[in-house]
C-alpha cells in the first residue's frame, strides 16, 4: 500500500498543473480501490464555503465544473462541513443525500468519501463509489491516508495556479523574520541542485541561450562517452549501455528540439530544459509497464546533469539587481555571503522562522526578512518587483502604485525615526528613575565593526565565532582565527568582547564537517562537538587567548551547556591552553572571564551549580524558547507557537536570575528577545541589565529604556507572570506604545 501511495503522491507533485494532478488521482483510485466511480470536489476560489466538482471518472464527464454544493449540502457538503469521512452502504438512504442530476451515480449506491484538509482548512472532498461490495476498513484507511498526503500538494498546485506575476499586487504571507521594509527585485537562488527549483525567466538573447544550452549538452555527451569507456572495465556491457543511451538522447530528437523551441519562444535555457525534461518524464510515468515507467527517473537524472552544466555557465554571469530581494526555498546563512552586501535589500525564504540563523544574520545586517511562506511560488518570482515587510511577515508581488506609495511613505518615516534615534547614540541607556543598563551588540558576520561602534554599543555581548567557520571550505587555522579575533578585540579596546566558542550543529552546518542526524537540534551541537574534538576547541581557544594578549578585553562564552560535567571539561582545556601559552610566551597570563550560555532547560535547574564554576552567565533566549516549548525554531509550521514572551520562558528566566543572584553571578541576555522592544521591558522588569542584540536594534532598545521607570517595569513583569499565554503578555506590553515610541513597536511575536 505504501508504495502505491508514494507513487501517486510523486506523480501528483510532478504533474504540470492541478487539473492533470486530479485526473491522475481519480484514475489511480479507480484502479487501486476497484471503484466504479471517483469524484473530487475542491473549495471554490471565490467562496471557500462552496465545493465545485473538479473531476470525475466513471460518471458523466459533462457535469464537471457544473456541480456546486454548499458546506453541509448533500453528502459531499456534509463530509466537508464535518471534516470527517463517511462510508455508506447505500448513499441514497442518508438524510442529507441529494441526487446529482445526469451524473449517472444512481448505479453506484456504495459511497466512501473523505475530506482533504491542509493547515486546518478543508480544501475539498474525494469520494469513490461502487455498485456492490462495501468499502472495507483497509480501503477507508487507504483513502484517508491518500487525502492527507495529497492535501499539501493540492494546496501548492492551487496556489501556483492562482498566482500570476502579471496580475496586480499579490500578497504573500509568512512570518516576520527580521524587522524592516524594502522595495526591490527578486533574485531566486538556484544552484542547479534540482530541476524543480529552476526559476522561470524570459530572455531576449535567444542566440546566447541556445549557445549555452548546446554547449552544456555537448559537455555532458562528452562526459558520458568517457564514463562509458571507464566503466567498461568493471561493469557488464548492458550497464555501460545506459551511458551510451543517455548520450544518444542528447544527440538529437525531441528532448533537444523541444527545448530549443522553448528557448526560441523567449524562455531562458534552464527553464526551457526543465519543462522539456518534466514533460518527457511525465509521459513515462503514465506508462503501465513498470520498466518503462522507471525510465522517467533516467530522464530526470540526465536532466539534472545538463542543468548543472548549464547553471555553471549561467552563474558566471550573475548580475545582482541594485536592490536584490533574495528569494529561495531555504535561504541559508552562507547564501547571504554570495550576494554583495550593498545590493542585498531583503530576504524571502519559504522555510524557516524568525529564530532561524539566517533570520538572525539578516537582523544583524539590518536586512528585512520574511520567513516560512507556505507554498511560495519561488520559480515564478525571479526578476519580479517585490516589497518585503519584515515587521509583519508579508510581501507584495508586483505592488501597484498605491501600495508602493504607502511603503515609500513608511520607508521615509522609518528613516526619520532612525535619524531621530541617532541623537541617542552618546546618551547613557538609563531609565527615568536612573536605573543604568548596559547595551552590547551581537556580532560575527561582519568584519566591519564600524556600525556597532557608531551605534554607541558598550562592547560585544556575543561574537558568534561559527560564522567565520561557516563561510570557509575548511577549518580556519589558528593564525586565521587569531587575526579575526584580534580585529574585533582591537576595535573594541577598553570594552568587553564576549567570544563564544564554536557553536555548530543544529541548523549551522559546516560544509566540510558533515553531520547527518535525525534530530540535529537535540544532537551533536555546540560544546558537545568541541569536547569530542578537543583539537578544534584547543586551536580556537589558543587563537582567542593569543589575540587577547595586550588588549585584555576578551571573555569566553561556552554554548549549549547542559550540565556541570561539560563545563568542568571545558575549563580544564581552557586552563591547559592558558598554561601552554604562558610557557611559550614566558609571561604570566590571566585567565579571561569565562561564562556559560543558559539555553538548555537542564541548565536552568542547575543554575547554582553552573554559577559556582563561571564568572557570568548569558541567556540564549532563542534556544531556551525552542527547548522549553518543544518548538523547532526553524519550523514555520509551528512558528505561531514560538514566543520568547511565553510565560514559561519568562518564569525560567526569573529562576535563572534568582539562582545567579545567590552567588552574585552577573546575568546577561544575548538571544533575540534582548533586542525586541517588548522583550527589553520584560527583561528589565526581571532585573537583567546587560542586553546584547543586533546592532540595528540597539538605539530602539535605548529609546524604550529611556521611556520607562524601572519600578514600573518591575510591576509590569509581575502582572505578566500572572498571565497564561504569550499573546496576552505581548498585548499588555504593546499597549505601552502610547508613550510616543512611534513606530518602534511593530507587529511581532
Ligand atoms: C540563543 O540561542 O539565544 C543564542 C544567542 O544563540 P544562537 O542563536 O546562536 O543559537
Ligand atoms: Mg543558541
Amino acid at each position: 500500500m505504501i508504495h502505491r501511495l508514494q507513487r501517486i503522491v510523486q506523480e501528483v507533485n510532478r504533474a504540470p498543473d492541478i487539473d492533470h494532478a486530479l485526473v491522475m488521482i481519480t484514475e489511480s483510485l479507480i484502479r487501486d480501490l476497484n471503484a466504479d466511480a471517483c469524484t473530487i470536489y475542491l473549495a471554490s476560489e471565490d467562496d471557500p464555503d462552496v465545493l465545485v466538482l473538479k473531476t470525475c471518472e466513471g460518471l458523466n464527464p459533462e457535469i464537471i465544473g457544473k456541480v456546486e454544493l454548499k458546506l453541509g449540502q448533500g453528502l459531499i457538503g456534509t463530509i466537508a462541513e464535518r471534516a470527517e469521512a463517511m462510508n455508506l452502504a447505500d448513499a441514497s438512504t442518508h438524510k442529507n443525500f441529494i441526487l446529482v442530476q445526469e451524473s449517472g451515480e444512481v448505479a453506484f449506491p456504495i459511497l466512501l468519501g473523505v475530506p482533504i484538509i491542509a493547515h486546518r482548512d478543508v480544501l475539498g472532498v474525494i469520494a469513490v463509489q461502487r455498485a456492490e461490495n462495501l468499502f472495507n476498513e483497509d480501503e477507508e484507511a487507504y483513502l484517508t491516508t491518500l487525502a492527507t498526503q495529497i492535501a499539501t500538494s493540492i494546496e501548492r498546485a492551487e496556489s501556483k495556479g492562482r498566482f500570476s506575476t502579471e496580475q496586480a499586487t499579490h500578497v504573500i504571507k509568512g512570518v516576520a523574520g527580521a524587522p524592516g521594509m524594502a522595495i526591490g527585485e527578486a533574485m531566486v537562488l538556484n544552484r542547479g541542485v534540482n530541476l524543480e527549483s529552476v526559476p522561470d525567466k524570459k530572455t531576449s538573447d535567444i542566440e546566447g541561450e541556445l549557445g549555452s544550452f548546446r554547449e552544456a549538452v555537448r559537455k555532458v555527451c562528452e562526459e558520458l562517452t568517457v564514463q562509458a569507456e571507464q566503466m567498461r572495465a568493471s561493469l557488464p556491457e548492458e550497464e555501460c549501455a545506459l551511458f551510451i543511451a543517455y548520450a544518444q538522447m542528447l544527440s538529437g530528437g525531441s528532448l533537444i528540439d523541444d527545448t530549443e523551441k522553448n528557448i526560441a519562444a523567449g524562455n531562458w535555457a534552464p527553464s526551457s530544459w526543465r519543462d522539456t525534461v518534466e514533460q518527457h518524464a511525465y509521459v513515462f510515468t503514465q506508462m503501465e509497464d513498470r520498466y518503462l515507467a522507471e525510465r522517467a527517473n533516467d530522464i530526470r537524472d540526465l536532466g539534472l546533469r545538463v542543468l548543472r552544466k548549464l547553471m555553471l555557465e549561467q552563474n558566471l554571469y550573475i548580475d545582482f539587481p541594485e536592490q536584490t530581494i533574495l528569494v529561495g526555498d531555504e535561504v541559508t546563512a552562507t547564501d547571504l555571503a554570495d550576494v554583495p552586501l550593498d545590493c542585498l535589500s531583503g530576504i524571502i525564504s519559504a522555510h524557516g522562522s524568525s529564530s532561524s540563523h539566517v533570520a538572525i544574520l539578516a537582523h544583524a545586517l539590518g536586512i528585512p526578512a520574511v520567513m516560512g511562506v507556505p507554498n511560495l511560488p519561488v520559480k515564478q518570482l525571479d526578476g519580479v518587483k517585490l516589497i518585503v515587510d519584515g515587521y509583519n511577515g508579508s510581501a507584495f508581488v508586483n505592488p501597484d502604485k498605491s501600495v508602493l506609495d504607502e511603503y515609500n511613505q513608511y520607508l521615509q518615516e522609518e528613516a526619520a525615526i532612525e535619524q531621530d534615534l541617532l541623537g541617542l547614540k552618546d546618551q547613557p541607556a538609563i531609565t527615568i528613575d536612573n536605573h543604568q543598563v548596559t547595551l552590547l551588540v551581537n556580532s560575527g558576520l561582519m568584519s566591519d565593526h564600524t556600525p556597532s561602534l557608531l551605534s554607541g554599543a558598550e562592547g560585544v555581548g556575543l561574537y558568534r565565532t561559527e560564522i567565520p567557520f561557516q563561510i570557509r571550505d575548511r577549518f580556519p587555522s589558528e593564525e586565521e582565527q587569531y587575526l579575526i579575533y584580534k580585529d574585533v578585540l582591537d576595535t573594541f579596546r577598553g570594552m568587553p568582547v564576549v567570544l563564544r566558542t564554536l557553536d555548530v550543529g543544529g541548523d549551522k552546518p559546516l560544509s566540510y564537517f558533515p553531520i547527518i542526524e535525525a534530530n540535529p537540534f537535540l544532537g551533536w551541537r555546540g560544546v558537545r562537538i568541541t569536547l569530542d574534538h578537543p583539537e578544534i576547541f584547543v586551536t580556537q581557544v589558543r587563537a582567542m587567548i593569543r589575540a587577547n594578549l595586550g588588549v585584555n578585553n576578551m571573555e569566553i562564552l561556552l554554548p549549549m551547556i547542559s550540565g556541570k560535567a561539560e563545563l568542568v571539561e571545558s575549563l580544564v582545556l581552557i586552563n591547559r591552553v592558558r598554561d601552554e601559552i604562558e610557557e611559550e610566551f614566558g609571561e604570566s597570563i590571566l585567565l579571561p572571564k569565562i561564562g556559560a550560555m543558559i539555553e538548555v532547560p537542564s541548565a536552568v535547574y542547575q543554575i547554582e551549580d553552573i554559577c559556582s564554576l563561571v564568572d557570568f552567565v548569558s541567556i540564549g533566549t532563542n534556544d531556551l524558547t525552542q527547548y522549553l516549548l518543544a518548538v523547532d525554531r526553524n519550523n514555520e509550521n509551528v512558528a505561531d507557537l514560538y514566543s520568547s514572551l511565553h510565560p514559561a520562558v519568562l518564569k525560567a528566566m526569573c529562576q535563572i536570575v534568582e539562582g545567579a543572584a545567590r552567588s552574585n553571578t552577573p546575568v546577561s541576555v544575548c538571544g533575540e528577545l534582548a533586542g525586541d522592544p517588548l522583550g527589553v521591558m520584560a527583561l528589565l522588569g526581571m532585573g537583567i541589565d546587560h542586553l546584547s542584540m543586533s546592532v540595528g536594534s540597539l538605539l530602539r532598545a535605548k529609546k524604550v529604556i529611556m521611556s520607562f521607570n524601572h519600578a514600573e517595569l518591575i510591576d509590569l513583569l509581575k502582572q505578566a507572570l500572572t498571565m497564561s499565554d504569550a499573546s496576552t503578555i505581548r498585548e499588555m506590553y504593546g499597549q505601552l506604545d502610547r508613550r510616543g515610541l512611534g513606530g518602534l513597536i511593530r507587529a511581532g511575536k
Side-chain angles (χ1 to χ4, degrees):
M1 167 161 135
I2 184 82
H3 295 302
R4 276 190 284 157
L5 278 172
Q6 269 169 355
R7 188 157 165 239
I8 302 185
V9 174
Q10 272 170 9
E11 288 175 8
V12 169
N13 286 340
R14 284 175 182 151
D17 54 45
I18 181 111
D19 295 331
H20 281 82
L22 297 181
V23 170
M24 193 147 33
I25 297 167
T26 47
E27 284 173 355
S28 308
L29 282 174
I30 293 264
R31 197 177 53 229
D32 294 345
L33 294 182
N34 224 349
D36 296 312
C38 177
T39 45
I40 301 184
Y41 287 79
L42 293 184
S44 151
E45 266 179 47
D46 306 324
D47 181 355
D49 288 350
V50 172
L51 296 154
V52 183
L53 179 67
K54 287 288 183 184
T55 185
C56 70
E57 274 287 313
L59 299 183
N60 175 8
E62 289 188 0
I63 59 170
I64 295 176
K66 293 187 188 141
V67 184
E68 293 193 354
L69 297 167
K70 289 212 177 80
L71 280 190
Q73 189 184 11
L75 295 179
I76 298 296
T78 308
I79 292 168
E81 189 182 52
R82 293 185 189 166
E84 176 176 278
M86 254 188 202
N87 191 353
L88 304 172
D90 185 353
S92 63
T93 60
H94 191 285
K95 69 175 173 42
N96 288 2
F97 176 77
I98 297 178
L99 179 68
V100 175
Q101 298 298 333
E102 293 164 32
S103 63
E105 67 174 328
V106 266
F108 312 122
I110 298 164
L111 179 137
L112 167 65
V114 298
I116 308 168
I117 303 179
H119 298 108
R120 302 186 183 198
D121 285 337
V122 177
L123 306 180
V125 172
I126 313 186
V128 280
Q129 286 173 263
R130 277 204 292 242
E132 46 197 38
N133 292 333
L134 269 177
F135 288 100
N136 63 29
E137 269 182 29
D138 283 349
E139 288 168 323
E140 191 177 325
Y142 182 80
L143 193 63
T144 309
T145 316
L146 178 77
T148 54
Q149 296 208 1
I150 59 170
T152 6
S153 315
I154 290 185
E155 202 186 24
R156 196 176 313 126
E158 276 192 318
S159 86
K160 191 168 128 193
R162 272 179 210 151
F163 178 83
S164 150
T165 50
E166 264 118 54
Q167 85 192 22
T169 318
H170 180 97
V171 186
I172 284 175
K173 235 8 240 147
V175 294
M181 293 168 280
I183 302 176
E185 187 180 320
M187 172 109 204
V188 173
L189 279 172
N190 176 29
R191 313 194 170 291
V193 284
N194 59 43
L195 287 159
E196 290 85 34
S197 62
V198 174
D200 294 339
K201 250 188 214 181
K202 290 284 174 199
T203 181
S204 51
D205 179 16
I206 301 211
E207 280 314 309
E209 291 297 308
L210 280 173
S212 14
F213 174 60
R214 287 173 188 153
E215 184 56 14
V217 168
R218 189 190 63 73
K219 284 189 182 150
V220 173
C221 272
E222 220 170 75
E223 273 177 18
L224 288 166
T225 319
V226 172
Q227 281 169 345
E229 274 316 308
Q230 287 167 347
M231 294 290 177
R232 263 206 177 92
S234 38
L235 277 181
E237 190 56 32
E238 64 268 25
E239 301 291 337
C240 299
L242 182 68
F243 291 88
I244 304 294
Y246 274 14
Q248 276 166 356
M249 281 196 252
L250 292 180
S251 317
S254 55
L255 259 184
I256 304 297
D257 293 347
D258 291 355
T259 309
E260 297 201 349
K261 270 187 216 145
N262 279 345
I263 297 176
N267 300 301
W268 76 321
S271 69
S272 303
W273 175 243
R274 174 202 71 201
D275 288 349
T276 318
V277 169
E278 284 302 350
Q279 278 151 13
H280 281 68
Y282 179 69
V283 173
F284 276 105
T285 48
Q286 294 306 292
M287 298 189 177
E288 285 295 324
D289 182 311
R290 269 190 83 83
Y291 175 80
L292 286 177
E294 279 300 311
R295 301 285 65 77
N297 288 337
D298 293 345
I299 296 204
R300 288 202 186 93
D301 180 23
L302 188 61
L304 203 52
R305 280 169 179 254
V306 174
L307 177 72
R308 288 198 176 128
K309 281 275 174 303
L310 208 45
M311 293 316 296
L312 266 183
E313 299 239 321
Q314 305 270 353
N315 280 344
L316 296 177
Y317 311 106
I318 289 188
D319 224 355
F320 289 97
E322 256 173 50
Q323 309 279 328
T324 299
I325 311 280
L326 201 56
V327 178
D329 258 332
E330 177 113 47
V331 180
T332 66
T334 37
D335 290 332
L336 300 196
D338 287 348
V339 186
L341 275 185
D342 49 352
C343 298
L344 186 57
S345 302
I347 294 166
I348 305 182
S349 176
H351 295 289
S353 70
S354 64
S355 36
S356 303
H357 280 100
V358 66
I360 292 175
L361 290 186
H363 194 164
L365 290 168
I367 296 166
V370 173
M371 309 289 293
V373 184
N375 306 313
L376 180 69
V378 173
K379 278 191 282 185
Q380 290 154 276
L381 289 177
D382 201 77
V384 169
K385 186 155 198 156
L386 291 175
I387 294 177
V388 177
D389 186 334
Y391 288 114
N392 63 17
S394 60
F396 297 83
V397 182
N398 274 337
D400 58 27
K401 185 169 173 318
S402 64
V403 182
L404 273 173
D405 287 349
E406 189 182 341
Y407 269 86
N408 274 318
Q409 175 72 27
Y410 286 154
L411 284 170
Q412 276 175 19
E413 284 167 16
E414 277 261 301
I417 292 177
E418 296 292 336
Q419 193 56 40
D420 196 32
L421 289 173
L422 273 181
L424 303 183
K425 173 184 142 339
D426 295 319
Q427 298 193 32
I430 197 159
T431 57
I432 301 169
D433 53 353
N434 277 331
H435 183 80
Q436 177 108 26
V437 183
T438 305
L439 297 184
L440 306 135
V441 279
N442 290 349
S443 175
L445 184 66
M446 292 171 288
S447 50
D448 177 12
H449 302 290
T450 331
S452 303
L453 280 178
L454 288 180
S455 71
E458 294 166 79
V460 177
L462 170 66
Y463 185 91
R464 291 183 166 97
T465 60
E466 53 276 9
I467 295 168
F469 280 68
Q470 278 190 286
I471 56 178
R472 286 179 167 68
D473 54 9
R474 56 170 173 78
F475 282 105
S477 65
E478 180 183 320
E479 198 55 26
E480 283 171 300
Q481 291 187 56
Y482 163 80
L483 292 173
I484 296 167
Y485 307 148
K486 182 140 188 53
D487 182 46
V488 55
L489 294 175
D490 276 346
T491 312
F492 287 89
R493 199 173 266 268
M495 301 180 221
V497 174
V498 179
L499 299 183
R500 183 173 71 183
T501 61
L502 194 62
D503 184 20
V504 288
D507 69 336
K508 288 183 280 192
L510 294 179
S511 57
Y512 46 92
F513 187 69
I515 304 169
I516 313 284
E517 291 178 318
N519 278 316
F521 275 118
L522 297 183
W524 213 34
R525 219 200 130 178
V527 77
R528 300 172 182 181
I529 296 183
T530 47
L531 286 178
D532 287 350
H533 277 279
E535 75 286 15
I536 300 175
F537 188 72
V538 164
T539 306
Q540 181 170 45
V541 175
R542 276 187 62 88
M544 288 176 170
I545 294 186
R546 279 181 50 213
N548 192 34
L549 291 177
V551 254
N552 266 325
N553 56 346
M554 177 193 69
E555 301 176 11
I556 293 180
L557 181 60
L558 299 161
M560 281 294 289
I561 294 292
S562 61
K564 211 171 162 180
E566 288 160 343
L567 253 186
V568 172
E569 278 182 71
S570 307
L571 292 172
V572 167
L573 287 174
I574 296 173
N575 271 286
R576 204 182 82 196
V577 171
R578 193 270 314 261
D579 295 349
E580 269 171 31
I581 298 182
E582 221 170 41
E583 218 176 283
E584 278 168 38
F585 285 76
E587 56 178 274
S588 91
I589 295 172
L590 267 180
L591 199 63
K593 282 188 181 161
I594 298 173
M597 296 257 334
I598 307 296
E599 51 185 346
V600 177
S602 58
V604 177
Y605 296 103
Q606 290 186 288
I607 190 67
E608 288 171 37
D609 283 345
I610 289 174
C611 287
S612 69
L613 292 170
V614 293
D615 301 299
F616 66 98
V617 290
S618 186
I619 307 178
T621 51
N622 307 336
D623 277 313
L624 187 60
T625 305
Q626 90 160 334
Y627 292 129
L628 268 178
L629 303 185
V631 176
D632 179 345
R633 62 193 268 183
N634 262 332
N635 184 342
E636 64 280 3
N637 290 330
V638 287
D640 280 352
L641 299 175
Y642 184 100
S643 174
S644 297
L645 283 177
H646 189 288
V649 181
L650 296 184
K651 283 177 187 160
M653 285 195 277
C654 290
Q655 192 162 338
I656 297 168
V657 172
E658 279 159 27
R662 285 187 201 112
S663 52
N664 281 329
T665 308
V667 179
S668 58
V669 174
C670 62
E672 291 301 291
L673 189 68
D676 171 351
L678 308 189
V680 171
M681 298 182 201
L683 295 173
L684 258 65
M686 270 174 219
I688 296 176
D689 46 25
H690 274 68
L691 304 177
S692 189
M693 62 198 74
S694 298
V695 58
S697 305
L698 200 130
L699 292 176
R700 288 168 189 251
K702 194 182 274 189
K703 173 91 179 170
V704 172
I705 293 164
M706 294 170 77
S707 312
F708 286 92
N709 274 308
H710 190 221
E712 183 187 4
L713 293 174
I714 294 174
D715 278 350
L716 282 169
L717 182 81
K718 280 191 195 135
Q719 281 183 47
L721 291 174
T722 63
M723 295 174 173
S724 54
D725 58 69
S727 53
T728 326
I729 295 177
R730 186 161 275 284
E731 213 175 285
M732 177 192 79
Y733 282 118
Q735 279 170 6
L736 303 167
D737 198 9
R738 63 189 146 76
R739 299 273 157 105
L741 295 177
L744 283 187
I745 305 169
R746 298 191 52 129
K749 286 202 314 113

